[in-house]
Amino acid sequence: MPVESVFPRLEPLLPSVQKPIQYVGGELNSQVKDWDSAEVRWALMYPDAYEVGLPNQGVQILYEVLNEREGVLAERTYSVWPDLEAIMREHGIPQFTVDGHRPVGAFDILGVSFSTELGYTNLLTALDLAGLPLHAVDRREEDPIVLAGGHAAFNPEPIADFVDAAVLGDGEEIVLKITEVIREWKREGRPEGRDGLLHRLAVSGGVYVPKFYDVSYLPDGRIQRVAPNRPGVPWQIVKHTVMDLDAWPYPKTPLVPLAETVHERFSVEIFRGCTRGCRFCQAGMITRPVRERSITTVGEMVQQGLKASGFNEVGLLSLSSADHSEIGDMAKGLADQYEGTQTSLSLPSTRVDAFNITLANEFSRNGRRSGLTFAPEGGSERMRKVINKMVSEDDLIRTVTTAYENGWRQVKLYFMCGLPTEEDQDVMEIAGMARRVIQAGRDATGSRDIRCTVSIGGFVPKPHTPFQWAAQADHETVDRRLRALRDELRQDKQYGRAIGLRYHDGKPSIIEGLLSRGDRRVGAVIQKVWEDGGRFDGWSEHFSYERWTAGAEKAFAGLQVDVDWYTTREREEVEVLPWDHLDAGLDREWLWQDWQEAVDGGAEVEDCRWTPCYDCGVCPSMGTEIQIGPTGKKLLPLTVVNG
């Protein structure tokens, strides 16, 4: 039977909420497929507002990959703002998709992509609005399977009570395998019900089903072990790695937003993975090995994506885009092709040692001189050794001097505060670096119209990194250091006005730390915070530290753990970590050794793209390999676009 759209009931209520356009759907390149002709139906959720969720590359890719398949339907849903949530509850309108405005509870599977752990309370809102039991064990056979993905799914234990399953790594291939398992199970008459389907997914080794694993604890609160409780369920779940990105040139027809969004451009992922070895960087560690898209595929994707969308900006995305082996030819080829048009090219933040002025000039050939962003991460040379971000201050000054000489006037520097072994002086050295950047600009240009913005985030130790054992700095220490840095810059009459300082206070980082390295006991905290009104915790105006600490106090009453136990406590090598049964391919011993080297002052680990293998474990354990050029191919001939 077709599932009824909720739009006739929703539409009359939209004038009373903020930004009603975000709930209307019908964007260019969106799809509404026939419900009855689909055997398997996916609702894809990004658990944040439309303006953040619509540009998300992962959701857009899976939306297209699934909708291309015969007998498969995929629609999108996003978190609704509290004003609409209240109206939906009052009028009995369930969580809906923006494509067909169909109730999320009617789909076979709800796939939720978590880029950040602070979206967990939004998941609970969506489940509740959809009429689904919050706890997976209470769900009925007809309820959708709730599946977590994205970077936060590499430790889904804090939301183990709320999700039926989780997938680690790249989604393109595994969503199709999951689709076929569901299709087969439905055709066979749903044998053994919901548990039968979950068991099929679990024994494949590619899907983690938390209910099929028991966790036992030691008297001091640490985990004793995590063990399967069903036959055929593997002891370890391994991540998925797509090895030929050229075979997956998505998105081909990007979604064009109706309402304003955080990014309004066509984004092409030019490679996946990073082997720079920054010890703090979870994204770099869990996405190994490096796999490049060929220059010709990138060119074809840009041409097709712009034609299908009408965007006038192209973002070449990856964790370190200037590291692509053919980035110079790629930039020149694209700049040649779109010269004289309104199309501009952009790179995300660039490594100081990968930046060169030829590249920068290609990306600004259309006359755009937007600010350049560099991420030294650590304020002092010592800190950069600890985190394996081997960029000297002199390198930075040389780079920004070249940029200023070639017409740039604004530089943004990104740092972290609260890194392992950090002392007050390491943070204060950020001021000295910013002063040198301003002076270099003034010397190079003869102008005082030079700006440097310093942006600082609180450091959160993440699973599957060498810092997964580290003690997180308490929020009082982080705030004290940042206040001292702010005061230092404010009092500087010569440079202070030219330096902008943006920073986040330490409290949200502590909660992110709790959710990042938490285990199943943290689920009760998330639920209490949500019941107390927690929503959109990634937004500073909605976040409440007091709500989280109060929720933790109630949830942890009578247990051996508290917020500090999860955050500011250093772990020992032998401790069982909540995610040890989830395999990102990295050898645990290698991670521990790298952590010891960091504490000892920071021995440099080279980038294995250009040096012999240093045994992180990913390639042999995953059956993968680094895929890089140069291919020797050129971007052209492609049709030159006329203005």
Side-chain angles (χ1 to χ4, degrees), residues 40 76 126 159 162 200 206 219 241 247 265 267 275 281 291 293 331 357 367 445 461 484 512 600 620:
V40 181
R76 297 161 294 127
I159 51 170
F162 315 121
R200 289 184 184 206
T241 306
R265 64 187 177 206
S267 297
T275 43
C281 183
R291 292 146 285 149
R293 273 205 170 100
I357 208 66
T445 64
E512 192 184 335
D600 291 343

PDB file of all heavy atoms in Angstrom, residues 40 76 126 159 162 200 206 219 241 247 265 267 275 281 291 293 331 357 367 445 461 484 512 600 620:
ATOM      1  N   VAL A  40      12.972  -2.328  -1.174  1.00  0.00           N
ATOM      2  CA  VAL A  40      13.747  -1.899  -0.003  1.00  0.00           C
ATOM      3  C   VAL A  40      13.747  -0.374   0.036  1.00  0.00           C
ATOM      4  O   VAL A  40      14.044   0.280  -0.972  1.00  0.00           O
ATOM      5  CB  VAL A  40      15.199  -2.437  -0.055  1.00  0.00           C
ATOM      6  CG1 VAL A  40      15.966  -2.006   1.189  1.00  0.00           C
ATOM      7  CG2 VAL A  40      15.206  -3.958  -0.167  1.00  0.00           C
ATOM      8  N   ARG A  76      15.472  11.555   2.193  1.00  0.00           N
ATOM      9  CA  ARG A  76      16.290  12.206   3.231  1.00  0.00           C
ATOM     10  C   ARG A  76      15.419  12.780   4.339  1.00  0.00           C
ATOM     11  O   ARG A  76      14.304  13.243   4.096  1.00  0.00           O
ATOM     12  CB  ARG A  76      17.093  13.364   2.616  1.00  0.00           C
ATOM     13  CG  ARG A  76      18.097  12.960   1.556  1.00  0.00           C
ATOM     14  CD  ARG A  76      18.473  14.162   0.700  1.00  0.00           C
ATOM     15  NE  ARG A  76      17.349  14.643  -0.084  1.00  0.00           N
ATOM     16  CZ  ARG A  76      16.912  15.904  -0.090  1.00  0.00           C
ATOM     17  NH1 ARG A  76      17.516  16.834   0.632  1.00  0.00           N
ATOM     18  NH2 ARG A  76      15.876  16.241  -0.833  1.00  0.00           N
ATOM     19  N   ALA A 126      14.402  12.416  16.753  1.00  0.00           N
ATOM     20  CA  ALA A 126      13.870  11.853  15.505  1.00  0.00           C
ATOM     21  C   ALA A 126      13.182  10.511  15.756  1.00  0.00           C
ATOM     22  O   ALA A 126      12.099  10.244  15.209  1.00  0.00           O
ATOM     23  CB  ALA A 126      14.984  11.698  14.481  1.00  0.00           C
ATOM     24  N   ILE A 159      25.766   5.019  21.974  1.00  0.00           N
ATOM     25  CA  ILE A 159      24.393   4.958  21.437  1.00  0.00           C
ATOM     26  C   ILE A 159      23.976   3.521  21.139  1.00  0.00           C
ATOM     27  O   ILE A 159      23.017   3.283  20.413  1.00  0.00           O
ATOM     28  CB  ILE A 159      24.226   5.848  20.176  1.00  0.00           C
ATOM     29  CG1 ILE A 159      25.314   5.553  19.134  1.00  0.00           C
ATOM     30  CG2 ILE A 159      24.196   7.319  20.554  1.00  0.00           C
ATOM     31  CD1 ILE A 159      25.065   6.205  17.783  1.00  0.00           C
ATOM     32  N   PHE A 162      20.360   2.624  21.455  1.00  0.00           N
ATOM     33  CA  PHE A 162      19.395   3.297  20.585  1.00  0.00           C
ATOM     34  C   PHE A 162      19.467   2.859  19.127  1.00  0.00           C
ATOM     35  O   PHE A 162      18.523   3.083  18.372  1.00  0.00           O
ATOM     36  CB  PHE A 162      19.582   4.814  20.660  1.00  0.00           C
ATOM     37  CG  PHE A 162      19.745   5.339  22.064  1.00  0.00           C
ATOM     38  CD1 PHE A 162      20.883   6.028  22.448  1.00  0.00           C
ATOM     39  CD2 PHE A 162      18.763   5.110  23.021  1.00  0.00           C
ATOM     40  CE1 PHE A 162      21.046   6.506  23.745  1.00  0.00           C
ATOM     41  CE2 PHE A 162      18.912   5.584  24.319  1.00  0.00           C
ATOM     42  CZ  PHE A 162      20.062   6.275  24.690  1.00  0.00           C
ATOM     43  N   ARG A 200      21.462 -12.002  10.166  1.00  0.00           N
ATOM     44  CA  ARG A 200      22.024 -12.092   8.807  1.00  0.00           C
ATOM     45  C   ARG A 200      23.034 -10.970   8.559  1.00  0.00           C
ATOM     46  O   ARG A 200      24.074 -11.181   7.939  1.00  0.00           O
ATOM     47  CB  ARG A 200      20.903 -12.005   7.765  1.00  0.00           C
ATOM     48  CG  ARG A 200      20.024 -13.226   7.698  1.00  0.00           C
ATOM     49  CD  ARG A 200      19.009 -13.097   6.571  1.00  0.00           C
ATOM     50  NE  ARG A 200      18.085 -14.230   6.564  1.00  0.00           N
ATOM     51  CZ  ARG A 200      17.448 -14.677   5.494  1.00  0.00           C
ATOM     52  NH1 ARG A 200      17.629 -14.077   4.321  1.00  0.00           N
ATOM     53  NH2 ARG A 200      16.635 -15.706   5.568  1.00  0.00           N
ATOM     54  N   GLY A 206      30.267  -7.482   8.254  1.00  0.00           N
ATOM     55  CA  GLY A 206      30.370  -6.095   7.828  1.00  0.00           C
ATOM     56  C   GLY A 206      29.473  -5.140   8.572  1.00  0.00           C
ATOM     57  O   GLY A 206      29.530  -3.940   8.350  1.00  0.00           O
ATOM     58  N   PRO A 219      35.498  -4.515  38.815  1.00  0.00           N
ATOM     59  CA  PRO A 219      34.978  -3.774  39.971  1.00  0.00           C
ATOM     60  C   PRO A 219      35.341  -2.285  39.970  1.00  0.00           C
ATOM     61  O   PRO A 219      34.601  -1.469  40.517  1.00  0.00           O
ATOM     62  CB  PRO A 219      35.626  -4.492  41.168  1.00  0.00           C
ATOM     63  CG  PRO A 219      35.927  -5.870  40.668  1.00  0.00           C
ATOM     64  CD  PRO A 219      36.255  -5.718  39.219  1.00  0.00           C
ATOM     65  N   THR A 241      36.333  -0.448   3.015  1.00  0.00           N
ATOM     66  CA  THR A 241      37.196   0.460   2.266  1.00  0.00           C
ATOM     67  C   THR A 241      36.906   0.317   0.778  1.00  0.00           C
ATOM     68  O   THR A 241      37.045  -0.776   0.222  1.00  0.00           O
ATOM     69  CB  THR A 241      38.686   0.138   2.528  1.00  0.00           C
ATOM     70  OG1 THR A 241      38.932   0.152   3.934  1.00  0.00           O
ATOM     71  CG2 THR A 241      39.587   1.162   1.850  1.00  0.00           C
ATOM     72  N   ALA A 247      35.548   4.321  -9.838  1.00  0.00           N
ATOM     73  CA  ALA A 247      34.351   3.528 -10.142  1.00  0.00           C
ATOM     74  C   ALA A 247      33.117   4.065  -9.419  1.00  0.00           C
ATOM     75  O   ALA A 247      32.005   3.601  -9.664  1.00  0.00           O
ATOM     76  CB  ALA A 247      34.583   2.064  -9.757  1.00  0.00           C
ATOM     77  N   ARG A 265      28.142  24.991  -2.904  1.00  0.00           N
ATOM     78  CA  ARG A 265      29.135  24.754  -3.953  1.00  0.00           C
ATOM     79  C   ARG A 265      29.012  23.296  -4.368  1.00  0.00           C
ATOM     80  O   ARG A 265      28.374  22.493  -3.684  1.00  0.00           O
ATOM     81  CB  ARG A 265      30.543  25.023  -3.421  1.00  0.00           C
ATOM     82  CG  ARG A 265      30.949  24.071  -2.308  1.00  0.00           C
ATOM     83  CD  ARG A 265      32.272  24.425  -1.659  1.00  0.00           C
ATOM     84  NE  ARG A 265      32.550  23.515  -0.562  1.00  0.00           N
ATOM     85  CZ  ARG A 265      33.309  23.806   0.477  1.00  0.00           C
ATOM     86  NH1 ARG A 265      33.882  24.999   0.576  1.00  0.00           N
ATOM     87  NH2 ARG A 265      33.526  22.920   1.431  1.00  0.00           N
ATOM     88  N   SER A 267      30.962  20.001  -4.560  1.00  0.00           N
ATOM     89  CA  SER A 267      32.172  19.452  -3.943  1.00  0.00           C
ATOM     90  C   SER A 267      32.549  18.123  -4.588  1.00  0.00           C
ATOM     91  O   SER A 267      31.706  17.254  -4.784  1.00  0.00           O
ATOM     92  CB  SER A 267      31.953  19.230  -2.439  1.00  0.00           C
ATOM     93  OG  SER A 267      31.703  20.461  -1.802  1.00  0.00           O
ATOM     94  N   THR A 275      47.852   9.925   5.161  1.00  0.00           N
ATOM     95  CA  THR A 275      48.918   9.193   5.867  1.00  0.00           C
ATOM     96  C   THR A 275      49.967  10.154   6.429  1.00  0.00           C
ATOM     97  O   THR A 275      51.109   9.775   6.667  1.00  0.00           O
ATOM     98  CB  THR A 275      49.586   8.175   4.923  1.00  0.00           C
ATOM     99  OG1 THR A 275      49.804   8.781   3.652  1.00  0.00           O
ATOM    100  CG2 THR A 275      48.707   6.947   4.736  1.00  0.00           C
ATOM    101  N   CYS A 281      44.536  13.205  14.886  1.00  0.00           N
ATOM    102  CA  CYS A 281      43.538  13.263  13.811  1.00  0.00           C
ATOM    103  C   CYS A 281      42.870  11.916  13.577  1.00  0.00           C
ATOM    104  O   CYS A 281      43.433  11.034  12.925  1.00  0.00           O
ATOM    105  CB  CYS A 281      44.181  13.770  12.523  1.00  0.00           C
ATOM    106  SG  CYS A 281      42.987  13.935  11.173  1.00  0.00           S
ATOM    107  N   ARG A 291      43.653   6.922  -1.223  1.00  0.00           N
ATOM    108  CA  ARG A 291      43.171   6.471  -2.535  1.00  0.00           C
ATOM    109  C   ARG A 291      42.806   7.707  -3.347  1.00  0.00           C
ATOM    110  O   ARG A 291      41.873   8.423  -2.995  1.00  0.00           O
ATOM    111  CB  ARG A 291      41.946   5.571  -2.362  1.00  0.00           C
ATOM    112  CG  ARG A 291      42.262   4.225  -1.703  1.00  0.00           C
ATOM    113  CD  ARG A 291      41.130   3.753  -0.825  1.00  0.00           C
ATOM    114  NE  ARG A 291      41.061   4.496   0.423  1.00  0.00           N
ATOM    115  CZ  ARG A 291      39.925   4.742   1.092  1.00  0.00           C
ATOM    116  NH1 ARG A 291      38.768   4.354   0.608  1.00  0.00           N
ATOM    117  NH2 ARG A 291      39.950   5.405   2.231  1.00  0.00           N
ATOM    118  N   ARG A 293      41.522   9.902  -6.622  1.00  0.00           N
ATOM    119  CA  ARG A 293      40.752   9.900  -7.868  1.00  0.00           C
ATOM    120  C   ARG A 293      41.667  10.396  -8.974  1.00  0.00           C
ATOM    121  O   ARG A 293      42.471  11.308  -8.758  1.00  0.00           O
ATOM    122  CB  ARG A 293      39.549  10.836  -7.773  1.00  0.00           C
ATOM    123  CG  ARG A 293      38.322  10.170  -7.200  1.00  0.00           C
ATOM    124  CD  ARG A 293      37.018  10.826  -7.637  1.00  0.00           C
ATOM    125  NE  ARG A 293      35.914   9.962  -7.233  1.00  0.00           N
ATOM    126  CZ  ARG A 293      35.171  10.153  -6.148  1.00  0.00           C
ATOM    127  NH1 ARG A 293      35.388  11.203  -5.373  1.00  0.00           N
ATOM    128  NH2 ARG A 293      34.210   9.310  -5.846  1.00  0.00           N
ATOM    129  N   ALA A 331      44.610  21.727 -10.938  1.00  0.00           N
ATOM    130  CA  ALA A 331      44.240  23.131 -10.744  1.00  0.00           C
ATOM    131  C   ALA A 331      44.364  23.913 -12.044  1.00  0.00           C
ATOM    132  O   ALA A 331      43.475  24.687 -12.406  1.00  0.00           O
ATOM    133  CB  ALA A 331      45.124  23.752  -9.662  1.00  0.00           C
ATOM    134  N   ILE A 357      52.673  29.030  -4.451  1.00  0.00           N
ATOM    135  CA  ILE A 357      51.971  30.195  -4.984  1.00  0.00           C
ATOM    136  C   ILE A 357      51.382  29.923  -6.365  1.00  0.00           C
ATOM    137  O   ILE A 357      50.349  30.463  -6.733  1.00  0.00           O
ATOM    138  CB  ILE A 357      52.897  31.435  -4.994  1.00  0.00           C
ATOM    139  CG1 ILE A 357      52.029  32.692  -4.875  1.00  0.00           C
ATOM    140  CG2 ILE A 357      53.794  31.478  -6.205  1.00  0.00           C
ATOM    141  CD1 ILE A 357      51.310  32.810  -3.557  1.00  0.00           C
ATOM    142  N   GLY A 367      40.081  36.086 -10.109  1.00  0.00           N
ATOM    143  CA  GLY A 367      40.149  37.352  -9.401  1.00  0.00           C
ATOM    144  C   GLY A 367      39.749  37.271  -7.945  1.00  0.00           C
ATOM    145  O   GLY A 367      39.768  38.269  -7.242  1.00  0.00           O
ATOM    146  N   THR A 445      54.316  43.907   1.876  1.00  0.00           N
ATOM    147  CA  THR A 445      53.402  44.742   1.086  1.00  0.00           C
ATOM    148  C   THR A 445      53.592  46.233   1.300  1.00  0.00           C
ATOM    149  O   THR A 445      53.104  47.041   0.505  1.00  0.00           O
ATOM    150  CB  THR A 445      51.941  44.408   1.449  1.00  0.00           C
ATOM    151  OG1 THR A 445      51.722  44.745   2.829  1.00  0.00           O
ATOM    152  CG2 THR A 445      51.647  42.933   1.236  1.00  0.00           C
ATOM    153  N   PRO A 461      40.578  13.875  22.753  1.00  0.00           N
ATOM    154  CA  PRO A 461      41.202  12.604  22.333  1.00  0.00           C
ATOM    155  C   PRO A 461      40.147  11.704  21.687  1.00  0.00           C
ATOM    156  O   PRO A 461      39.038  11.580  22.198  1.00  0.00           O
ATOM    157  CB  PRO A 461      41.707  11.995  23.648  1.00  0.00           C
ATOM    158  CG  PRO A 461      41.688  13.107  24.648  1.00  0.00           C
ATOM    159  CD  PRO A 461      40.600  14.041  24.210  1.00  0.00           C
ATOM    160  N   ALA A 484      44.348  33.900  29.010  1.00  0.00           N
ATOM    161  CA  ALA A 484      45.683  34.524  29.079  1.00  0.00           C
ATOM    162  C   ALA A 484      46.149  34.938  27.684  1.00  0.00           C
ATOM    163  O   ALA A 484      46.713  36.027  27.499  1.00  0.00           O
ATOM    164  CB  ALA A 484      46.680  33.557  29.716  1.00  0.00           C
ATOM    165  N   GLU A 512      32.028  16.436  24.500  1.00  0.00           N
ATOM    166  CA  GLU A 512      32.412  15.697  23.292  1.00  0.00           C
ATOM    167  C   GLU A 512      33.364  14.560  23.659  1.00  0.00           C
ATOM    168  O   GLU A 512      33.287  13.456  23.111  1.00  0.00           O
ATOM    169  CB  GLU A 512      33.063  16.644  22.274  1.00  0.00           C
ATOM    170  CG  GLU A 512      33.219  16.024  20.910  1.00  0.00           C
ATOM    171  CD  GLU A 512      33.961  16.920  19.927  1.00  0.00           C
ATOM    172  OE1 GLU A 512      33.964  18.155  20.102  1.00  0.00           O
ATOM    173  OE2 GLU A 512      34.554  16.362  18.983  1.00  0.00           O
ATOM    174  N   ASP A 600      57.329  11.093  24.867  1.00  0.00           N
ATOM    175  CA  ASP A 600      58.786  11.239  25.027  1.00  0.00           C
ATOM    176  C   ASP A 600      59.355  12.430  24.267  1.00  0.00           C
ATOM    177  O   ASP A 600      60.572  12.613  24.212  1.00  0.00           O
ATOM    178  CB  ASP A 600      59.492   9.955  24.565  1.00  0.00           C
ATOM    179  CG  ASP A 600      59.218   8.793  25.510  1.00  0.00           C
ATOM    180  OD1 ASP A 600      58.779   9.051  26.645  1.00  0.00           O
ATOM    181  OD2 ASP A 600      59.418   7.636  25.102  1.00  0.00           O
ATOM    182  N   PRO A 620      48.003  -4.518   5.191  1.00  0.00           N
ATOM    183  CA  PRO A 620      47.937  -5.989   5.274  1.00  0.00           C
ATOM    184  C   PRO A 620      46.657  -6.510   5.918  1.00  0.00           C
ATOM    185  O   PRO A 620      46.079  -7.494   5.459  1.00  0.00           O
ATOM    186  CB  PRO A 620      49.174  -6.365   6.107  1.00  0.00           C
ATOM    187  CG  PRO A 620      49.629  -5.113   6.769  1.00  0.00           C
ATOM    188  CD  PRO A 620      49.179  -3.987   5.897  1.00  0.00           C
TER     189      PRO A 620
END
